[in-house]
Amino acid sequence: MERISDESLAILLLTSDLLYRKTKDKDQKPFTHGEWNKFATLLRKSAYSTPAVLYDKNEDHLMQDLLLSRAMANKVCTLMRYAGSMAIEIEKLAGMGIWIATRGDKNFPQRVKQLLKEQSPPFFYGTGNGGLLRSSAIGFVGSRNADESSVEFTKRTVRKVVEERALIVSGGAKGIDLTSQNEALSYGGQVVSFVHSELEMLLRKKDFRKAIADGNLTVLSAVHPSARFTGFNAMGRNKYIYTHSKGTVVVSSNIKGGTWEGANENLKNSWVPLIVRSSEDVPEGNRKLLEMGEKNPMVIPFMNDSSQSIIELLKNVTNNEKTKNINKKDSDLFYLVWPIIKDYIKRGYSFTELCEVLHVLPEQLEQWVQRGHNINSTHSEPLVEQTTLF
């Protein structure tokens, strides 16, 4: 097991329920997602720059340097005292084959982080080959009770994607999710699966363990590995399927339920193209999404019997967007300053140092850096080093 960094351990102490779930000790109750985002913003804009410095700070330091209330400073200092206990729990998970990746770690899915920004979880529990998270992938979503036509379409389309050497992104649920996952694995492909619960239980299944051992399956969860199913967590993980993919295929959707809500959430946020199966007998949700496509270029109809390459289809969409935006560069200051910012990042400048060198407010620099990362994730060039690691 790779040793967890001091920074990642600090993040887990403040955000993970690994200890609190076990003890129910209020002193070990972590930050909520919203509380963590606010605190992380304070850290990024301070001289601290990283959570790892918190090990050596007391309440007075935090009140003076971060302008925290006495209660909040006490909470931070109290949580940081449990580093030894947290390390033991992390070791126990490692013994089961489960690792943890915070936002700054290499095994944290970068597209999720870039597209969701503060909506992305502070960490994922994961198992399997983390290297799969750095490959291009296509998502598949659909009904738990899909008909035979939907199942056959999924299998055929997945095989085509695998032949083109892209990964499949799945939610691991019964129906289209598992159909796409199992078909990809049986056809020699690779899969990233975002599950909403019971990661520990999945590891007891022989076929899962084999796929993981073979390096063909990586499973991630934003909730505790022993957490049971809840509708909230199931809905929450939908966004990870979409944002980790280059585009997501909606095989079958009603006008209620997780598939429908996830597809609409994706369109609302314009995360990735939505490839919607089209035929005379598709469910009502598919038809409604296709109608939206008349006014929304993010919706791409895909005929049930089409042999077209989804990879090529998405490349064409990306190229069309580049053409539409090319004239914007002439009057957009971002395109003048981004090469300079990127050069400073490569030279190791921190966020605070960049603000001082460029004489800009943190809010403006955050916007420029985020735009830069989004551009790099769209192109084939590697991402520049992340400036926001937590």
Side-chain angles (χ1 to χ4, degrees), residues 111 115 137 139 238-249 262-263 265-275 296-300 314 317:
R111 281 184 58 80
L115 293 177
N238 285 339
K239 62 174 67 74
Y240 310 141
I241 301 171
Y242 283 96
T243 53
H244 187 65
S245 72
K246 293 288 188 179
T248 295
V249 181
E265 184 181 26
N266 175 70
L267 291 178
K268 178 182 178 181
N269 291 281
S270 299
W271 288 325
V272 298
L274 201 65
I275 304 159
N296 191 335
M298 294 289 286
V299 178
I300 306 171
L314 289 173
V317 171

Side-chain angles (χ1 to χ4, degrees), residues 170-193:
S170 157
K174 176 186 174 184
I176 295 303
D177 286 23
L178 272 181
T179 298
S180 63
Q181 177 172 308
N182 292 338
E183 187 65 21
L185 292 173
S186 65
Y187 201 65
Q190 296 174 315
V191 176
V192 172
S193 181

Side-chain angles (χ1 to χ4, degrees), residues 12 45 52 61 71 89 133 149 195 225 279:
L12 294 175
K45 295 178 180 179
H61 289 140
E89 293 303 311
L133 299 170
S149 176
V195 298
S279 73

Side-chain angles (χ1 to χ4, degrees), residues 24-246:
K24 299 301 179 184
D25 183 343
K26 65 179 182 180
D27 284 345
Q28 295 176 328
K29 188 173 183 179
F31 284 0
T32 65
H33 194 141
E35 288 173 340
W36 167 246
N37 282 333
K38 290 178 181 178
F39 183 67
T41 298
L42 288 176
L43 281 179
R44 285 196 296 268
K45 295 178 180 179
S46 74
Y48 288 8
S49 73
T50 169
V53 303
L54 296 172
Y55 295 109
D56 301 321
K57 303 300 180 183
N58 59 35
E59 290 180 23
D60 291 335
H61 289 140
L62 300 182
M63 292 171 64
Q64 178 179 334
D65 300 339
L66 301 179
L67 302 180
L68 297 184
S69 66
R70 172 71 66 178
M72 181 60 77
N74 177 264
K75 181 180 178 70
V76 172
C77 291
T78 300
L79 287 170
M80 295 300 293
R81 295 190 189 110
Y82 291 98
S85 299
M86 180 64 74
I88 291 172
E89 293 303 311
I90 293 170
E91 287 287 345
K92 289 179 181 178
L93 290 178
M96 292 186 283
I98 298 173
W99 40 259
I100 308 178
T102 65
R103 289 178 186 172
D105 292 332
K106 64 181 182 180
N107 282 353
F108 194 97
Q110 290 301 303
R111 281 184 58 80
V112 172
K113 176 179 172 179
Q114 291 151 14
L115 293 177
L116 290 185
K117 304 178 178 69
E118 290 190 346
Q119 288 186 62
S120 66
F123 62 89
F124 278 107
Y125 298 98
T127 184
N129 177 10
L132 298 186
L133 299 170
R134 294 179 281 281
S135 298
S136 295
I138 304 298
F140 280 79
V141 296
S143 171
R144 293 174 62 89
N145 300 305
D147 59 22
E148 190 61 31
S149 176
S150 298
V151 170
E152 287 304 315
F153 168 85
T154 301
K155 291 180 177 180
R156 183 174 65 252
T157 311
V158 163
R159 289 194 295 268
K160 179 71 172 174
V161 172
V162 169
E163 288 172 357
E164 295 184 275
R165 305 181 70 79
L167 274 67
I168 301 300
V169 185
S170 157
K174 176 186 174 184
I176 295 303
D177 286 23
L178 272 181
T179 298
S180 63
Q181 177 172 308
N182 292 338
E183 187 65 21
L185 292 173
S186 65
Y187 201 65
Q190 296 174 315
V191 176
V192 172
S193 181
F194 290 91
V195 298
H196 51 60
S197 60
E198 299 180 328
L199 177 59
E200 281 184 12
M201 187 188 73
L202 290 175
L203 286 173
R204 299 190 192 113
K205 296 184 176 182
K206 184 177 179 180
D207 56 340
F208 266 74
R209 292 200 307 272
K210 184 179 187 308
I212 290 168
D214 291 342
N216 295 324
L217 174 63
T218 300
V219 187
L220 299 108
S221 175
V223 299
H224 191 281
S226 64
R228 298 300 181 90
F229 171 85
T230 69
F232 177 80
N233 289 338
M235 294 297 292
R237 74 89 158 80
N238 285 339
K239 62 174 67 74
Y240 310 141
I241 301 171
Y242 283 96
T243 53
H244 187 65
S245 72
K246 293 288 188 179

